[in-house]
């Protein structure tokens, strides 16, 4: 399944829309990570929370936790290596490889590829294309991709607004 996320500074909705590649709105990500007490929320278009990502401690190197409804907590850890920029998603046992700074990376379970994320810059902002093979991984991959992007781009300031109604469609192409 392919999901597109448009990250822009327009702040039209105060939220990050997540859509299928045909433009149909599927999820909304609300919040920001510019402060250790802040959280990202993944919600349906009707406002039902699916999961959240938050920093679980203060310090030079932050550790992040993903809490998805009906699933145990998952942590995102960074390996400190001079050779490679590697991340590990616990419980799911996913290794994130590739270049997060260049915007092209993949999630691996052993040698099997579970998802890929590619970043494209256009006139309105940054568009993330997430190809995810298993439906149960969707919340984890979308929240991780937003986290990694916010680490390497200007932090997005997203005001809090009520949820968007189900009648909005977007074009990310």
């Amino acid at each position: 399944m392919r999901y597109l996320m448009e990250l822009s500074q327009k702040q039209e909705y105060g939220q990050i829309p997540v859509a299928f590649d045909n433009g149909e709105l599927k999820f909304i990500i609300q919040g920001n990570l510019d402060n250790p007490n802040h959280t990202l929320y993944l919600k349906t278009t009707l406002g039902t929370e699916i999961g959240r990502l938050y920093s679980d401690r203060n310090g030079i190197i932050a550790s992040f936790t993903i809490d998805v409804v009906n699933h145990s907590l998952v942590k995102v850890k960074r390996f400190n290596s001079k050779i490679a920029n590697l991340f590990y998603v616990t419980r799911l046992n996913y290794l994130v490889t590739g270049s997060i700074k260049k915007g092209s990376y993949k999630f691996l379970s052993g040698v099997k590829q579970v998802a890929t994320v590619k970043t494209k810059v256009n006139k309105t902002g940054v568009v993330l294309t997430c190809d995810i093979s298993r439906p149960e991984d969707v919340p984890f991959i979308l929240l991780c991709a937003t986290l990694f992007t916010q680490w390497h781009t200007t932090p997005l300031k997203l005001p809090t607004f009520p949820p968007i109604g189900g009648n909005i469609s977007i074009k990310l192409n």
Side-chain angles (χ1 to χ4, degrees):
M1 293 178 289
R2 177 172 283 176
Y3 295 91
L4 303 173
M5 290 191 290
E6 184 177 24
L7 309 170
S8 71
Q9 294 291 359
K10 289 192 288 185
Q11 300 176 1
E12 289 177 8
Y13 307 128
Q15 301 161 99
I16 301 169
V18 180
F20 290 121
D21 53 356
N22 66 1
E24 177 191 345
L25 190 62
K26 182 67 178 167
F27 302 112
I28 297 166
I29 296 178
Q30 296 177 318
N32 58 42
L33 294 172
D34 64 346
N35 184 313
N37 298 328
H38 289 169
T39 303
L40 289 178
Y41 299 93
L42 178 65
K43 296 182 177 184
T44 65
T45 55
L46 300 175
T48 306
E49 185 177 332
I50 297 168
R52 61 179 65 187
L53 180 138
Y54 56 89
S55 174
D56 56 357
R57 72 173 173 223
N58 234 342
I60 296 171
I61 298 176
S63 173
F64 290 88
T65 300
I66 299 174
D67 184 5
V68 171
V69 176
N70 298 327
H71 196 281
S72 54
L73 295 178
V74 171
K75 298 214 182 270
V76 179
K77 300 195 179 247
R78 178 183 215 161
F79 289 118
N80 291 327
S81 169
K82 295 178 182 177
I83 301 169
N85 195 11
L86 295 174
F87 294 89
Y88 181 70
V89 183
T90 65
R91 296 233 186 239
L92 300 174
N93 297 323
Y94 291 165
L95 188 64
V96 183
T97 64
S99 177
I100 291 172
K101 285 185 181 181
K102 291 181 182 176
S104 179
Y105 50 95
K106 54 190 168 189
F107 291 77
L108 301 173
S109 176
V111 293
K112 184 180 177 189
Q113 184 172 295
V114 218
T116 61
V117 178
K118 294 188 190 297
T119 306
K120 181 179 145 187
V121 179
N122 64 18
K123 300 183 247 185
T124 61
V126 175
V127 176
L128 297 178
T129 303
C130 304
D131 288 309
I132 306 169
S133 58
R134 298 182 340 175
E136 59 268 20
D137 291 336
V138 170
F140 301 103
I141 304 297
L142 293 177
L143 288 168
C144 282
T146 308
L147 169 67
F148 298 156
T149 301
Q150 286 196 3
W151 276 346
H152 295 291
T153 61
T154 305
L156 300 170
K157 304 289 186 194
L158 301 174
T160 304
F161 287 111
I164 297 174
N167 58 356
I168 293 179
S169 162
I170 59 171
K171 296 197 190 263
L172 298 176
N173 295 332

